[in-house]
Amino acid sequence: MRFWLQRVAMAVLLLLSVSALTFGAMNILGDPLFNILGPVAGDVNNPDSVKLIEKAKAEFDLDEPLVVRYGLWLSDFVRGDMGVQFSSDGQPPVSDLIKERLPRTATLVLLAQLMAISIAIPWALVTASRAGRLSDRISTMNTFFLVAMPNFALAIILKFVLSIKLGWMPLTYVANDPLSSRLWQMVLPALTIALPVAAVFQRLLRTDLITTLQQDFILMARAKGLSRRRVLFRHALRPSLFSFITVVGLNTGALIGGSIVVETIFRIPGIGSSLVESVLREDFPVVLAIVMIVAVAFVLINLLVDILYSIIDPRVRR
Amino acid sequence: MSDNVETELLLEISDLKTHFRTPRGTVRAVDGVSLTLERGKALGIVGESGSGKTILSRSIMGLLPRSGVIREGSVKFRGQEILGKSTKEMQSVWGREMAMIFQDPMTSLNPVMKVGRQIAEPLMLHLGMNKAEARQTAEKLLRDVRIPEATRRLDQYPHELSGGMRQRVMIAIALACGPTLLFADEPTTALDVTVQAQILELINEQRRDRNMSLILVTHDLGVVAGFTDEIAVMYGGKLVEKAPTKVLFERMKMPYTEALLESIPRLDQPSHSRLAVIPGRPPDLVNPPQGCRFAPRCAYVRDRCLTEEPQLTAAETPGHVYACHYPVGSPEYHERRVELSKVSTVVGGSI
């Protein structure tokens, strides 16, 4: 119990420091006023401009010291209000923007991870049980190919073959389609993300499985007369999952902000594309909101990974 | 007629070879071993590490790596040849007819599976029990191997048990389906001295109760002394001496067997006396020495030993065979013995 309380306290501390650092860095390195008004911000001799400047300063509390502004942002954020966009007349509010886009990215990432895991585990089991044989070597070459291939290239190849040539898959994502067709439209982008990720997961799990398969308790399981398959699934898999779970967790967090290429190619208006747009426009509230979402996702997933550890291995239970 | 029942031949191994292909060459880990074992009897296989004793036991059972192994000769179990059988065919023999207790109870149990499940597994597989029956039987087995609070232990994980208890669990797993042949590969080496005797006693008692045959593999002649009917001594992948236990201790023929016995520290030696060791190392099994494989380390070596390999010969006692040109008791042996004792008194005197 104490352990989990500590974990939660650490998580809160981590989120506070991430937000403070991001908030501070953006405000010190950029000029919020300029980012809101554009060139008008420097036109201090024109009474019309001055009026606009005064209005913006009042709206965004720009005259307050940095610490106060951070405090204001934070109290809004924890209540679910992520502020107003600097650009596009401040519409829609950042919270609405995130609410609209986050589910798409989350679905994409989740679907991709599910695919990656369900490809990687059987793949690793097969190759580990035949380590060093021809099929294992061919598989190794394939993993290197998948990992080395840039994401956009894989996306284009998959799109070309499966959508354009064969016509099996939809070409792009359409935000107004019904849920079922939108899910179907997510399959190809998810696969694009999943394939190289699955290759990495497979390499990792294969290595751990090979180590486990040399353990005494595997020989013991064989001596009981269990079939190869049963030895693999019941005895070897579970103790081999630790680094696999860790990497799946870290990777899921990274994908939330990092699926930009795939989102662009398949025209999915998600978090990734918002992040790039807002960074280019120096739209601080949007950047900050996305950074916080990714950070929260990391924290939650790692908490989940710790819980999974204790489920898998009785020795780490407290 | 009653004799016939008594001496049912369970295992008959002839000229068993087990070689491993490695980048360095072919390792001749077991190089032509012949043995027989009757139902209900206990055979000890003794030798140093690297003598091939563990590989011999695994080779008899067929528990070897999938690739890079050459296994030749004949292993007849209950009159049936099992050497050529596939892994799939052997799976109905493993755990059911033949079971093995491994050396290290710390690493031989699955760390993430409850003890009860690990015992129940072969029961459900081979005897077709359902979960509840298997659990009940597992509990009974835990009691048989004298684990206190058996019911509670079923739901514990191996790390919650002591080393001795884990070894008992392993014995329970091995006994689960009532095998006719039990292999115990150094079953006490990883345990505290105080627990060792208990575990051996337990194995022996279960063997008697269940009329099982036992193959006890160990490097310690002292361990096999009280628990076996017969002892086979291995060196360099070969059988070098075999005799009924009592005969072996009274009239051993191989200088190697003698050296093994002398290397056990004894209480009647004065304290601080030097431990007797066998100088040198076991032979390289990729290029085993010509002639007798023990010759390079033997105190009684003569020219003939280095060139001509001694064959297994029968000693005067029935059932006793050995492979040595100048066995313990021969005139050449005595001659060298006298010379050696002179040298050791001279050395001893100068200290």
Side-chain angles (χ1 to χ4, degrees):
Chain A
M1 194 59 215
R2 221 188 112 191
F3 168 75
W4 295 111
L5 279 177
Q6 269 176 357
R7 283 301 310 256
V8 172
M10 282 296 292
V12 171
L13 205 66
L14 180 85
L15 292 177
L16 280 176
S17 23
V18 167
S19 61
L21 273 173
T22 318
F23 193 92
M26 283 191 308
N27 278 287
I28 291 162
L29 298 176
D31 176 4
L33 192 60
F34 180 82
N35 292 320
I36 296 163
L37 297 175
V40 180
D43 192 12
V44 284
N45 298 324
N46 187 332
D48 287 343
S49 305
V50 173
K51 224 180 263 170
L52 279 173
I53 292 170
E54 291 304 320
K55 189 171 161 259
K57 277 186 175 174
E59 193 186 339
F60 292 95
D61 301 311
L62 291 182
D63 283 333
E64 301 288 344
L66 196 56
V67 183
V68 175
R69 272 157 57 203
Y70 174 68
L72 287 171
W73 171 84
L74 188 65
S75 74
D76 281 347
F77 185 84
V78 294
R79 276 176 281 156
D81 177 4
M82 301 181 193
V84 184
Q85 289 192 54
F86 280 178
S87 35
S88 353
D89 314 323
Q91 283 308 317
V94 181
S95 310
D96 290 1
L97 181 84
I98 297 292
K99 237 178 263 166
E100 186 197 337
R101 295 192 158 212
L102 182 61
R104 294 178 193 143
T105 299
T107 314
L108 180 65
V109 170
L110 229 59
L111 201 62
Q113 288 296 43
L114 279 179
M115 282 182 183
I117 292 169
S118 39
I119 295 170
I121 290 181
W123 188 5
L125 283 168
V126 169
T127 49
S129 65
R130 305 164 172 269
R133 293 208 194 168
L134 187 66
S135 55
D136 178 44
R137 281 187 223 159
I138 292 173
S139 137
T140 303
M141 272 160 51
N142 281 320
T143 55
F144 288 140
F145 173 75
L146 279 176
V147 174
M149 171 109 86
N151 225 327
F152 64 86
L154 185 63
I156 289 166
I157 292 172
L158 285 177
K159 202 169 164 178
F160 180 76
V161 175
L162 294 175
S163 308
I164 297 170
K165 279 283 158 191
L166 297 170
W168 293 350
M169 292 293 196
L171 259 176
T172 49
Y173 180 83
V174 184
N176 295 327
D177 278 3
L179 182 70
S180 58
S181 31
R182 272 183 293 150
L183 274 177
W184 179 235
Q185 289 155 1
M186 285 277 190
V187 169
L188 202 53
L191 189 67
T192 311
I193 298 175
L195 282 178
V197 170
V200 174
F201 290 173
Q202 182 267 349
R203 291 303 295 173
L204 193 76
L205 185 57
R206 174 186 165 278
T207 311
D208 285 356
L209 270 170
I210 289 174
T211 313
T212 307
L213 284 173
Q214 284 158 354
Q215 302 276 316
D216 291 343
F217 64 83
I218 295 297
L219 190 66
M220 172 85 185
R222 283 186 65 202
K224 285 178 181 175
L226 303 181
S227 67
R228 239 173 244 295
R229 182 181 294 246
R230 210 181 150 86
V231 171
L232 265 181
F233 277 90
R234 287 298 172 99
H235 288 269
L237 182 57
R238 208 165 123 181
S240 312
L241 282 175
F242 294 99
S243 31
F244 180 78
I245 290 177
T246 313
V247 170
V248 171
L250 290 175
N251 186 269
T252 310
L255 277 184
I256 290 176
S259 50
I260 165 72
V261 174
V262 173
E263 284 184 8
T264 311
I265 291 178
F266 291 94
R267 308 227 182 104
I268 301 170
I271 293 282
S273 27
S274 292
L275 181 64
V276 174
E277 283 163 26
S278 57
V279 166
L280 290 176
R281 288 200 314 250
E282 295 189 41
D283 196 337
F284 298 166
V286 180
V287 176
L288 203 53
I290 295 175
V291 166
M292 288 312 289
I293 283 166
V294 175
V296 169
F298 259 108
V299 166
L300 287 182
I301 290 164
N302 276 305
L303 212 63
L304 194 70
V305 165
D306 277 351
I307 295 171
L308 278 177
Y309 273 170
S310 61
I311 291 174
I312 288 178
D313 193 342
R315 289 167 296 186
V316 299
R317 271 173 218 168
R318 287 152 213 266
Chain B
M1 281 310 275
S2 63
D3 261 0
N4 246 344
V5 180
E6 283 286 298
T7 61
E8 183 200 338
L9 200 58
L10 186 73
L11 188 68
E12 199 179 353
I13 304 157
S14 32
D15 201 25
L16 180 63
K17 289 185 180 142
T18 310
H19 298 173
F20 295 92
R21 276 189 290 260
T22 68
R24 223 164 54 79
T26 303
V27 179
R28 310 158 84 84
V30 175
D31 211 8
V33 171
S34 302
L35 281 172
T36 55
L37 182 61
E38 286 163 14
R39 177 83 196 250
K41 299 281 184 193
L43 168 73
I45 299 180
V46 187
E48 290 168 284
S49 4
S51 62
K53 56 191 193 304
T54 293
I55 300 297
L56 174 63
S57 65
R58 296 209 181 142
S59 185
I60 296 171
M61 204 166 161
L63 266 181
L64 293 167
R66 269 213 277 184
S67 53
V69 185
I70 308 159
R71 190 161 156 253
E72 284 167 4
S74 158
V75 179
K76 281 195 182 136
F77 180 69
R78 301 187 126 177
Q80 229 195 349
E81 180 61 53
I82 56 166
L83 189 106
K85 285 198 175 182
S86 67
T87 304
K88 263 226 169 77
E89 291 172 293
M90 286 308 287
Q91 274 161 8
S92 58
V93 178
W94 292 338
R96 175 87 185 81
E97 294 280 338
M98 297 179 176
M100 188 173 269
I101 300 166
F102 291 90
Q103 176 171 355
D104 192 350
M106 299 299 171
T107 56
S108 299
L109 293 172
N110 188 334
V112 301
M113 195 187 270
K114 284 176 185 169
V115 163
R117 286 271 319 270
Q118 299 196 46
I119 305 174
E121 234 180 353
L123 291 170
M124 291 160 74
L125 177 75
H126 295 298
L127 306 184
M129 290 188 185
N130 63 33
K131 256 190 181 163
E133 291 166 339
R135 191 182 159 87
Q136 224 170 8
T137 314
E139 195 183 324
K140 192 192 156 291
L141 281 161
L142 284 183
R143 281 208 203 90
D144 285 351
V145 296
R146 300 219 193 76
I147 288 187
E149 299 174 85
T151 323
R152 194 165 66 90
R153 304 292 179 200
L154 287 175
D155 292 316
Q156 285 186 323
Y157 289 93
H159 73 273
E160 297 172 85
L161 307 178
S162 69
M165 280 235 253
R166 284 189 229 186
Q167 194 59 294
R168 284 169 195 271
V169 169
M170 199 133 61
I171 294 171
I173 294 173
L175 295 177
C177 300
T180 41
L181 177 56
L182 180 67
F183 293 86
D185 184 1
E186 305 256 9
T188 57
T189 309
L191 299 176
D192 277 350
V193 188
T194 47
V195 188
Q196 286 183 2
Q198 294 173 15
I199 293 291
L200 285 167
E201 198 52 65
L202 176 70
I203 293 175
N204 197 40
E205 176 196 292
Q206 294 292 330
R207 177 183 69 82
R208 261 187 280 120
D209 292 354
R210 294 162 187 259
N211 194 24
M212 278 187 305
S213 301
L214 172 70
I215 291 184
L216 181 61
V217 177
T218 177
H219 62 272
D220 188 348
L221 263 177
V223 163
V224 287
F227 300 100
T228 56
D229 301 298
E230 213 181 14
I231 294 176
V233 182
M234 296 256 316
Y235 188 81
K238 296 224 168 209
L239 193 68
V240 293
E241 184 162 17
K242 196 187 82 163
T245 305
K246 202 159 165 256
V247 176
L248 188 91
F249 278 97
E250 281 170 2
R251 291 190 283 267
M252 56 186 63
K253 290 286 184 188
M254 262 298 281
Y256 176 62
T257 314
E258 191 188 49
L260 269 184
L261 191 65
E262 276 169 3
S263 66
I264 303 172
R266 292 203 329 240
L267 279 177
D268 56 6
Q269 286 165 338
S271 31
H272 303 293
S273 59
R274 207 170 260 272
L275 283 173
V277 293
I278 307 175
R281 281 183 301 146
D284 175 14
L285 294 176
V286 174
N287 295 302
Q290 232 191 340
C292 175
R293 292 189 177 179
F294 184 58
R297 301 169 68 192
C298 185
Y300 306 95
V301 63
R302 281 163 196 271
D303 289 346
R304 187 179 164 208
C305 304
L306 294 169
T307 50
E308 188 187 327
E309 189 175 346
Q311 300 302 313
L312 277 178
T313 8
E316 32 312 353
T317 328
H320 186 179
V321 290
Y322 64 94
C324 183
H325 293 308
Y326 307 106
V328 178
S330 67
E332 290 87 348
Y333 171 88
H334 280 302
E335 192 187 301
R336 185 64 59 83
R337 184 95 184 164
V338 173
E339 290 166 23
L340 285 172
S341 64
K342 277 184 199 149
V343 174
S344 67
T345 24
V346 172
V347 174
S350 71
I351 290 175

